[in-house]
């Protein structure tokens, strides 16, 4: 939204789409994708939550699951995950 910074947008989108309220102190930008007319910061939050408390936003989300790094990489390889962008691919290749 106009006036949001990257953190505000990440917190708002997570709350709207999953019902999870993230603690800003638990997050950091781990990568940034830049295109000719926009950019996308990729945030990583280390925060405990109860997966059963996820409330999906109708029309925006279809499913949720807890997954390890290895499972996400396998899902990407098998075409079961949204295609990785270059920054996201690099993120999954590094230790955080």
């Amino acid at each position: 939204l106009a006036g949001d910074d990257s953190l505000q947008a990440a917190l708002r989108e997570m709350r709207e789409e999953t019902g999870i309220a993230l603690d800003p102190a638990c997050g950091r930008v781990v990568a940034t994708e830049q295109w000719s007319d926009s950019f996308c910061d990729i945030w990583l939050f280390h925060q405990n939550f109860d997966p059963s408390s996820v409330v999906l936003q109708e029309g925006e989300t279809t499913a949720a699951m807890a997954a390890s790094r290895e499972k996400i990489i396998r899902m990407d390889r098998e075409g079961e995950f949204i295609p990785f962008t270059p920054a996201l691919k690099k993120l999954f290749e590094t230790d955080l």
Side-chain angles (χ1 to χ4, degrees):
L1 296 175
D4 275 359
D5 64 22
S6 175
L7 175 58
Q8 290 170 325
L11 297 173
R12 177 180 42 75
E13 288 294 321
M14 188 68 161
R15 178 80 170 182
E16 287 177 0
E17 295 184 14
T18 68
I20 296 172
L22 294 171
D23 179 351
C26 294
R28 64 186 173 103
V29 174
V30 293
T32 299
E33 289 279 351
Q34 292 209 259
W35 300 281
S36 61
D37 61 346
S38 62
F39 76 96
C40 176
D41 284 335
I42 299 171
W43 283 86
L44 177 64
F45 287 83
H46 287 277
Q47 180 173 324
N48 291 325
F49 69 96
D50 178 359
S52 69
S53 69
V54 172
V55 178
L56 300 178
Q57 181 182 19
E58 191 173 327
E60 288 287 323
T61 52
T62 58
M65 69 184 304
S68 66
R69 172 194 300 252
E70 293 75 21
K71 183 169 185 167
I72 293 170
I73 291 170
R74 180 188 56 75
M75 290 173 70
D76 176 61
R77 265 195 321 263
E78 295 175 4
E80 300 172 359
F81 200 84
I82 188 167
F84 281 1
T85 63
L88 196 55
K89 187 172 203 68
K90 184 176 180 181
L91 174 66
F92 272 88
E93 293 170 350
T94 61
D95 291 329
L96 301 174

